[in-house]
Amino acid sequence: VAEVSLAKINPVFPHLYEVQGIAEKRVEVIIEGLLEKSPAPDKETDAMAWAGHMNLLKAMAEEVVVRELIYT
């Protein structure tokens, strides 16, 4: 059985991979900026607060990226 790349099956896949890469990098950049404005609690002394803070920042960053890349 010959291997068939997804790009040959559907030419949209390369574009989707590119958009995904751009989105992931943008989320990282936004999280870094949010951490500068609102530093996370110390992970070693309060792991639950740190995890909650980081999850909140990630959700905020993902919302921004979805609005930037998908809805505009």
Side-chain angles (χ1 to χ4, degrees):
V1 177
E3 289 187 32
V4 178
S5 75
L6 293 177
K8 290 181 182 177
I9 294 171
N10 189 338
V12 173
F13 285 127
H15 175 69
L16 294 176
Y17 287 128
E18 179 184 357
V19 170
Q20 180 179 1
I22 292 169
E24 289 172 355
K25 288 177 186 173
R26 184 75 178 118
V27 165
E28 290 175 13
V29 168
I30 292 171
I31 288 174
E32 289 173 7
L34 290 171
L35 279 170
E36 288 178 9
K37 293 180 182 176
S38 176
D42 184 37
K43 185 177 182 179
E44 303 221 352
T45 59
D46 195 355
M48 291 298 287
W50 179 87
H53 186 78
M54 295 305 290
N55 285 336
L56 177 65
L57 296 184
K58 183 178 179 192
M60 291 168 63
E62 288 173 345
E63 184 176 335
V64 169
V65 170
V66 166
R67 287 184 182 180
E68 286 179 353
L69 293 178
I70 307 300
Y71 296 125
T72 59

